[in-house]
Amino acid sequence: MNKIWIGTNWKMTKTIEEGLSYTEDLKKIAENVSSAIELFIIPSYTALVSIKELTSSSRIHLGAQNMHWEDSGPYTGEISPRMLDEIGIDIIELGHSERRQYYNENDEDINKKVLAALRYGMKPLICIGENIEHKSNNISKETLASQLKVCLKGLTDEQARNVMIAYEPVWAIGEKGVPADAGYVAEIHTYLRKTLENLFDHSGSSIPLLYGGSVNRENFLNYIDITDVNGLFIGRSAWDTDSFREILERLEKHLYG
Ligand code: 13P
């Protein structure tokens, strides 16, 4: 797998105006980024339409942070695949730990959303991760296998080619997060790759496996060098374009000289 996916989830941070200014900057930065690096940003819903106007003339993929599985219906406050498809969204982030934690989203819901996104030709970016209790009870792998199996239930080999997985240990995410040890990430990614290969006959080895959780300017190279890490999913360290630029420039130099 040659492509590297690097992207950021803005969570609930930027207004439309802030998002537009960020995207203008990132478009300029993207001009110097190798085509082997696939860049993506995942803004808040309110900014998607305006930002799409900027990203459509660039190679930056645009994602949404969540989605309902039904096309339409009495689901107040929800956004459907039909609505996101109308904007021209490429990536649907699903099952982020903050959605699981604060909005009780579970693997069954995520599975319905994955299938809905695929029906519309949008790429699900499925977030999985164990919490600190799973880790201390030594059941991280079992937890992750169960998340993968349920989230990917019913997908054909062909459909599996269009998904991406982000492994984000819950204990590593956000202000209180502790960056994971690269050796631990390597062990988990090897395990996730094997699990995907067991689930799908031919596509398991081609599903991009991204790593996320307190990835920053100091540690990102440790993760990107891991064999089964095919990209990075970054929060805080990519919300400022100067910081994101530094990561991209150093990554480019590290990978392509
Ligand atoms: P941080 O990089 O801020 O820990 O956030 C990671 C994340 O949640 C990406 O989805």
Side-chain angles (χ1 to χ4, degrees), residues 7-11 42 93 96-98 125 127 166 168-169 172-178 211-216 232-239:
T8 176
N9 166 17
W10 291 359
K11 307 192 182 182
I42 311 195
E93 176 186 357
H96 189 278
S97 76
E98 288 149 14
L125 170 57
C127 303
E168 301 199 296
I173 296 175
E175 290 295 341
K176 295 190 183 132
V178 180
Y211 177 71
S214 293
V215 172
N216 58 39
L232 300 172
F233 195 19
I234 313 174
R236 289 157 296 151
S237 295
W239 292 345

Coordinates of all heavy atoms in Angstrom, one line a residue, residues 7-11 42 93 96-98 125 127 166 168-169 172-178 211-216 232-239, ligand 1:
G7 N -5.0 13.4 7.9 CA -6.2 14.3 8.0 C -6.5 14.7 9.4 O -5.8 14.2 10.3
T8 N -7.4 15.6 9.5 CA -7.7 16.2 10.8 C -9.2 16.3 11.0 O -10.0 16.6 10.0 CB -7.1 17.6 11.0 OG1 -7.5 18.1 12.2 CG2 -7.4 18.5 9.9
N9 N -9.6 15.9 12.2 CA -11.0 16.1 12.6 C -11.1 17.4 13.4 O -10.4 17.5 14.5 CB -11.3 14.8 13.5 CG -12.5 14.9 14.3 OD1 -13.4 15.8 14.1 ND2 -12.6 14.0 15.3
W10 N -11.8 18.3 13.0 CA -11.9 19.6 13.7 C -12.7 19.5 14.9 O -12.8 20.5 15.7 CB -12.4 20.7 12.8 CG -11.5 21.1 11.6 CD1 -10.3 20.5 11.4 CD2 -11.8 22.0 10.6 NE1 -9.7 21.1 10.2 CE2 -10.6 22.0 9.7 CE3 -12.8 22.9 10.3 CZ2 -10.6 22.9 8.6 CZ3 -12.7 23.7 9.2 CH2 -11.6 23.7 8.4
K11 N -13.5 18.5 15.1 CA -14.4 18.3 16.2 C -15.3 19.6 16.3 O -15.6 20.1 15.2 CB -13.6 18.1 17.5 CG -12.7 16.9 17.4 CD -12.1 16.5 18.7 CE -11.1 15.3 18.5 NZ -10.5 14.8 19.7
I42 N -12.0 17.4 8.2 CA -13.4 17.0 8.6 C -13.9 18.2 9.5 O -13.8 18.2 10.7 CB -13.4 15.7 9.3 CG1 -12.6 14.6 8.5 CG2 -14.8 15.2 9.6 CD1 -12.8 13.2 8.9
E93 N -16.8 10.2 8.7 CA -16.1 9.8 9.9 C -17.2 9.1 10.8 O -18.3 9.8 11.1 CB -15.5 10.9 10.7 CG -14.9 10.5 12.0 CD -14.4 11.7 12.8 OE1 -14.4 12.9 12.3 OE2 -13.9 11.5 13.9
H96 N -16.4 7.9 16.2 CA -15.4 8.5 17.0 C -15.7 8.2 18.5 O -16.9 8.2 18.9 CB -15.3 10.0 16.7 CG -14.1 10.6 17.4 ND1 -14.1 11.0 18.7 CD2 -12.9 10.9 16.9 CE1 -12.9 11.4 19.0 NE2 -12.1 11.4 17.9
S97 N -14.7 8.1 19.3 CA -14.9 7.7 20.7 C -15.7 8.8 21.4 O -16.4 8.4 22.4 CB -13.5 7.5 21.4 OG -12.9 8.7 21.7
E98 N -15.6 10.0 21.0 CA -16.5 11.1 21.7 C -17.9 10.8 21.3 O -18.8 11.1 22.2 CB -16.0 12.5 21.2 CG -14.7 12.8 21.9 CD -13.8 13.7 21.0 OE1 -14.3 14.3 20.1 OE2 -12.6 13.8 21.3
L125 N -14.9 6.4 7.3 CA -13.6 6.3 8.1 C -14.1 5.9 9.5 O -14.6 6.7 10.3 CB -13.0 7.7 8.2 CG -11.8 7.9 9.1 CD1 -10.7 6.9 8.9 CD2 -11.3 9.3 9.0
C127 N -13.9 4.7 13.2 CA -12.9 4.9 14.4 C -13.2 3.8 15.4 O -14.4 3.5 15.8 CB -13.2 6.2 15.1 SG -12.9 7.6 14.0
A166 N -9.6 4.0 11.5 CA -8.7 4.8 12.3 C -8.7 4.1 13.7 O -9.7 4.0 14.4 CB -9.2 6.2 12.5
E168 N -7.8 4.6 17.3 CA -7.6 5.7 18.2 C -7.9 5.2 19.6 O -9.1 5.2 20.1 CB -8.5 6.9 17.9 CG -8.4 7.4 16.5 CD -8.9 8.8 16.4 OE1 -10.1 9.0 16.5 OE2 -8.1 9.7 16.1
P169 N -6.8 4.8 20.4 CA -7.1 4.4 21.8 C -7.7 5.5 22.5 O -7.2 6.7 22.5 CB -5.7 4.0 22.3 CG -4.7 4.5 21.3 CD -5.4 4.8 20.0
A172 N -5.7 7.8 24.7 CA -4.6 8.6 24.0 C -5.2 9.9 23.4 O -4.5 10.8 22.9 CB -3.9 7.8 22.9
I173 N -6.5 10.1 23.4 CA -7.2 11.2 22.7 C -7.4 12.4 23.6 O -7.8 12.3 24.7 CB -8.6 10.7 22.2 CG1 -8.4 9.6 21.1 CG2 -9.3 11.9 21.6 CD1 -9.7 9.0 20.7
G174 N -7.1 13.6 23.0 CA -7.5 14.8 23.6 C -6.5 15.4 24.7 O -5.5 14.8 24.9
E175 N -6.9 16.5 25.3 CA -6.1 17.2 26.3 C -5.5 16.2 27.4 O -4.4 16.4 27.8 CB -6.9 18.3 27.0 CG -7.3 19.5 26.2 CD -6.1 20.3 25.7 OE1 -5.0 20.1 26.3 OE2 -6.2 21.0 24.7
K176 N -6.4 15.3 27.8 CA -5.9 14.4 28.9 C -5.3 13.2 28.4 O -5.0 12.3 29.2 CB -7.1 14.1 29.8 CG -7.6 15.3 30.6 CD -8.6 14.9 31.6 CE -9.2 16.2 32.3 NZ -10.7 16.2 32.4
G177 N -5.2 13.1 27.1 CA -4.7 11.8 26.5 C -3.2 11.6 26.7 O -2.4 12.6 26.8
V178 N -2.8 10.4 26.8 CA -1.4 10.0 26.9 C -0.9 9.4 25.6 O -1.5 8.4 25.2 CB -1.2 9.0 28.0 CG1 0.3 8.6 28.2 CG2 -1.8 9.5 29.3
Y211 N -3.6 5.9 12.3 CA -3.5 5.9 13.7 C -3.8 7.3 14.2 O -3.4 8.3 13.6 CB -2.0 5.6 14.2 CG -1.9 5.7 15.7 CD1 -2.6 4.8 16.5 CD2 -1.3 6.8 16.2 CE1 -2.6 5.0 17.9 CE2 -1.3 7.1 17.6 CZ -2.0 6.1 18.4 OH -2.0 6.4 19.7
G212 N -4.5 7.4 15.4 CA -4.8 8.8 15.9 C -4.8 8.7 17.4 O -5.0 7.7 18.1
G213 N -4.6 9.9 18.0 CA -4.6 10.1 19.5 C -3.4 10.8 19.9 O -2.3 10.1 20.0
S214 N -3.5 12.1 20.2 CA -2.3 12.9 20.6 C -1.1 12.8 19.6 O 0.0 12.8 20.1 CB -1.9 12.5 22.0 OG -2.9 12.9 23.0
V215 N -1.4 12.6 18.4 CA -0.3 12.7 17.4 C 0.1 14.2 17.3 O -0.7 15.1 17.2 CB -0.8 12.2 16.0 CG1 0.3 12.5 14.9 CG2 -1.2 10.7 16.0
N216 N 1.4 14.4 17.4 CA 1.9 15.8 17.4 C 3.2 15.9 16.7 O 3.7 14.9 16.1 CB 2.0 16.3 18.8 CG 2.9 15.5 19.7 OD1 4.0 15.0 19.3 ND2 2.5 15.3 21.0
L232 N -2.3 9.1 9.4 CA -2.5 9.6 10.7 C -3.7 10.5 10.8 O -4.1 11.2 9.8 CB -1.3 10.5 11.0 CG 0.1 9.9 11.0 CD1 1.2 10.9 11.2 CD2 0.2 8.8 12.2
F233 N -4.5 10.3 11.9 CA -5.7 11.1 12.1 C -5.4 12.0 13.2 O -5.3 11.6 14.4 CB -6.8 10.1 12.3 CG -8.2 10.7 12.2 CD1 -8.4 11.9 11.5 CD2 -9.3 10.1 12.8 CE1 -9.7 12.4 11.4 CE2 -10.6 10.6 12.7 CZ -10.8 11.8 12.0
I234 N -5.3 13.3 13.0 CA -4.8 14.2 13.9 C -5.9 15.2 14.4 O -6.7 15.7 13.6 CB -3.6 15.0 13.3 CG1 -2.7 14.1 12.6 CG2 -2.9 15.9 14.4 CD1 -1.5 14.8 11.9
G235 N -5.9 15.5 15.7 CA -6.8 16.5 16.2 C -6.0 17.8 16.4 O -5.6 18.5 15.5
R236 N -5.8 18.1 17.7 CA -5.2 19.4 18.1 C -4.0 19.9 17.3 O -3.9 21.1 17.0 CB -4.9 19.4 19.6 CG -6.1 19.3 20.5 CD -5.7 18.8 21.9 NE -5.3 17.4 21.7 CZ -4.4 16.8 22.5 NH1 -3.9 17.4 23.5 NH2 -4.1 15.5 22.3
S237 N -3.1 19.0 17.0 CA -1.9 19.4 16.3 C -2.0 19.8 14.9 O -1.1 20.2 14.2 CB -0.8 18.3 16.5 OG -0.4 18.2 17.8
A238 N -3.2 19.6 14.3 CA -3.4 20.0 12.9 C -4.5 21.1 12.9 O -4.9 21.5 11.8 CB -3.9 18.8 12.1
W239 N -4.9 21.6 14.0 CA -6.0 22.7 14.0 C -5.4 24.0 13.6 O -6.1 25.0 13.3 CB -6.7 22.7 15.3 CG -7.6 21.5 15.5 CD1 -7.9 20.6 14.6 CD2 -8.2 21.1 16.8 NE1 -8.7 19.6 15.2 CE2 -8.9 19.9 16.5 CE3 -8.1 21.6 18.1 CZ2 -9.5 19.2 17.5 CZ3 -8.8 21.0 19.1 CH2 -9.5 19.8 18.8
Ligands
13P1 P1 -6.0 14.6 19.3 O1 -5.0 14.5 18.3 O2 -6.3 16.0 19.7 O3 -5.7 13.7 20.5 O4 -7.4 14.1 18.7 C1 -7.4 12.9 17.9 C2 -8.7 12.6 17.4 O5 -9.7 12.5 18.2 C3 -8.9 12.5 15.9 O6 -10.1 12.0 15.6

